[in-house]
Amino acid sequence: MGLLALTDAAGAGEDRFDWFRETVSSTVMPVMLSTRHAADFRASMTEVDLGVVRLSAVACSPVVSRRTSTHVRRGDPECLQLALITQGEVRISQYGNEAVVAGGLVLTDTSRPSEGVCAEGQIESVVMQMPRQSLGLTADRLDRLLARDLTTDVGSGAILADFLKTLLTRGPQCDPEELRGAGAVALDLTTAFLARRLGDPRQAPAEARARETLQRIYRFIESNLGDPDLTPEVIAEWHNMSVRGLYRLFDDQPRTVAAHIRQSWLEHAHADLASGERSAEPVQAIAARWGFPRATGFSRAFREAYGISPVEHRALSLAGPRHAEDRNPAGHAHHGAPPGPTFSVGDSTTA
């Protein structure tokens, strides 16, 4: 299905609130919604289909959501919902637990009554809905995490939050197979995160733990690309693993860890060379900043990656974006953010 955008309904605020209420009940699950802002209500929803996982971005005016036992009997997708609150504050109650969440993650179960209250200010969230059995964690233990404020400041929580937000922004650029793979990665990261919150990360399946570690390593590489001593040995030592174990972790990735570092350096150099703010900076200074101390090695690697020399790329880029694209389609194809881990699952390929 790919990306489904459900935007504001036209008309007065009360019409928009009716639209929002009907959309949530029909596309998510039966629920009672109320608001004191019906006259000027604003709301939007965007959904990305990730196969077994549904990911939605929801923004709305202050609202109260109540799901009773009657609503559960009327319609239950039998799923867990993990919501990342990206703006505003919401009070969540379920299964005897209650939490006020702002900026964190919160887990709820569609098969149990619940209440969510956003008293003031617009609320924005990213919601992942997934079958309960897909996580590989026992229901009785997951119940302990319902309606709890699950922090995203550090560690696996920060990794998971960043990944969910990236899926929403990058999802439209992926084909259905990639999106299904992304859903599998999201489940693995969620399983590893929740297992850690339960106090026993070993309960998470080995594949989930490996996905979490891989995401952590990608974040570490991106944060330390300016370090000329960034090597697989340094990365392995920092993450308390052997170099052989690090290489094995990248077996099903499109590039080895060393190739990923090298490509990331090239892409940062590519962007700096095209930047008008850095037009007076020597090419070799830019190359040295991004891991290429020797001019000949940088020029050769750059040409292999982009089909053009660094000097030619800078000249074409500064002459004007449109002119550069017409003259340099190979370089244009490489614009954009550095690639992260692949979303493919199943057969392994060695970079």
Side-chain angles (χ1 to χ4, degrees):
M1 183 172 110
L3 183 74
L4 171 63
L6 307 171
T7 54
D8 283 339
E14 292 185 6
D15 293 333
R16 287 195 293 269
F17 179 65
D18 288 340
W19 162 83
F20 182 68
R21 180 170 52 193
E22 293 171 3
T23 299
V24 171
S25 292
S26 61
T27 65
V28 183
M29 60 183 178
V31 65
M32 180 175 67
L33 298 175
S34 60
T35 184
R36 293 179 297 174
H37 302 268
D40 58 349
F41 192 81
R42 304 290 298 179
S44 65
M45 294 178 64
T46 303
E47 179 180 303
V48 179
D49 183 358
L50 304 175
V52 71
V53 175
R54 290 178 59 183
L55 190 68
S56 305
V58 182
C60 65
S61 301
V63 68
V64 175
S65 168
R66 291 188 177 91
R67 181 163 164 81
T68 65
S69 299
T70 301
H71 291 116
V72 173
R73 289 192 297 270
R74 187 182 306 164
D76 181 14
E78 298 184 354
C79 289
L80 293 169
Q81 290 186 332
L82 187 66
L84 172 65
I85 310 303
T86 55
Q87 179 177 318
E89 180 180 278
V90 61
R91 176 171 58 80
I92 299 288
S93 303
Q94 189 174 59
Y95 197 54
N97 300 331
E98 181 173 293
V100 176
V101 185
L105 287 158
V106 61
L107 183 71
T108 55
D109 187 339
T110 66
S111 299
R112 301 181 186 276
S114 61
E115 181 180 80
V117 179
C118 173
E120 57 184 53
Q122 176 162 298
I123 183 74
E124 295 184 8
S125 63
V126 180
V127 184
M128 182 168 67
Q129 183 168 296
M130 54 212 155
R132 191 180 299 107
Q133 68 275 14
S134 65
L135 289 180
L137 298 172
T138 59
D140 59 330
R141 301 199 72 196
L142 284 172
D143 285 346
R144 292 161 43 190
L145 298 179
L146 297 178
R148 300 290 192 188
D149 185 1
L150 307 176
T151 182
T152 60
D153 293 340
V154 295
S156 56
I159 292 171
L160 177 58
D162 286 350
F163 188 74
L164 294 180
K165 289 183 284 190
T166 299
L167 282 180
L168 282 172
T169 57
R170 300 293 188 185
Q173 303 167 18
C174 299
D175 60 38
E177 183 178 355
E178 289 177 310
L179 290 174
R180 287 192 295 271
V185 175
L187 283 175
D188 282 344
L189 293 177
T190 300
T191 300
F193 167 65
L194 296 178
R196 287 186 178 276
R197 293 293 304 187
L198 288 168
D200 187 6
R202 293 171 299 177
Q203 186 180 2
E207 185 176 357
R209 298 197 301 270
R211 292 281 192 184
E212 182 202 14
T213 302
L214 185 63
Q215 290 286 337
R216 193 185 310 124
I217 288 171
Y218 272 115
R219 283 168 57 94
F220 178 83
I221 291 172
E222 185 62 27
S223 299
N224 292 277
L225 277 175
D227 183 353
D229 296 324
L230 183 65
T231 63
E233 290 75 17
V234 169
I235 296 169
E237 182 179 1
W238 186 270
H239 291 87
N240 298 312
M241 64 174 62
S242 67
V243 175
R244 183 176 181 180
L246 176 65
Y247 287 147
R248 190 182 306 118
L249 199 61
F250 277 74
D251 277 349
D252 65 348
Q253 296 302 296
R255 301 186 185 98
T256 65
V257 60
H260 175 75
I261 294 171
R262 181 183 176 86
Q263 182 61 28
S264 297
W265 278 337
L266 281 170
E267 287 172 349
H268 279 273
H270 185 276
D272 282 357
L273 288 168
S275 171
E277 296 178 358
R278 298 186 179 277
S279 60
E281 189 172 0
V283 170
Q284 188 50 38
I286 292 174
R289 180 167 60 250
W290 296 117
F292 293 91
R294 296 184 179 181
T296 54
F298 174 63
S299 181
R300 182 171 58 253
F302 195 95
R303 186 179 291 276
E304 289 175 356
Y306 300 108
I308 192 172
S309 74
V311 173
E312 291 169 330
H313 166 62
R314 165 175 271 184
L316 289 170
S317 298
L318 298 181
R322 179 171 300 179
H323 180 61
E325 291 169 15
D326 291 341
R327 293 276 305 278
N328 181 26
H332 176 60
H334 286 270
H335 283 207
T342 181
F343 294 143
S344 63
V345 293
D347 294 339
S348 296
T349 56
T350 302

